[in-house]
Amino acid sequence: DYDKQMIGGYGNIIQWKNNNYGFRNDKNIQLEKDTNTIRVLVLGDSFTAGYRTDQQNTYCALLQKNLEEKLIGKNIEVLPVWVDNP
């Protein structure tokens, strides 16, 4: 449940939010998912985390938005996991 403004990689102010399990996502998730929920785990580096961009412009946020538009009626949860300096 982290929600702060910070300075991005290019010196701009960005919004950074983590949900109840520490994923960079606006939505809180439940440990047990229902049959209407599709979860996508995205593994990567700082690109996956979206270090230099605002919350709604991260790769994972855009992926979630795109899937929600295409899979109407489904609850989509995109969960980014990243490693610094792999």
Side-chain angles (χ1 to χ4, degrees):
D1 292 330
Y2 182 82
D3 184 359
K4 300 288 181 195
Q5 287 187 333
M6 49 191 7
I7 298 174
Y10 298 115
N12 55 326
I13 301 296
I14 64 168
Q15 192 71 30
W16 189 291
K17 295 180 184 181
N18 286 1
N19 66 15
N20 58 326
Y21 279 99
F23 295 103
R24 188 170 185 195
N25 192 306
D26 293 339
K27 295 182 188 177
N28 282 332
I29 60 170
Q30 301 302 315
L31 188 57
E32 297 293 325
K33 70 175 194 72
D34 61 34
T35 57
N36 197 44
T37 298
I38 297 173
R39 285 189 176 154
V40 179
L41 184 67
V42 181
L43 304 172
D45 58 9
S46 59
F47 179 77
T48 300
Y51 279 175
R52 297 178 183 209
T53 190
D54 210 19
Q55 187 80 16
Q56 71 272 10
N57 294 323
T58 66
Y59 161 73
C60 292
L62 295 173
L63 174 62
Q64 181 165 320
K65 181 180 177 184
N66 184 276
L67 290 173
E68 288 171 344
E69 290 171 357
K70 293 190 181 326
L71 302 172
I72 296 172
K74 293 288 186 181
N75 180 33
I76 307 297
E77 297 174 346
V78 175
L79 309 172
V81 178
W82 59 91
V83 177
D84 288 329
N85 299 317

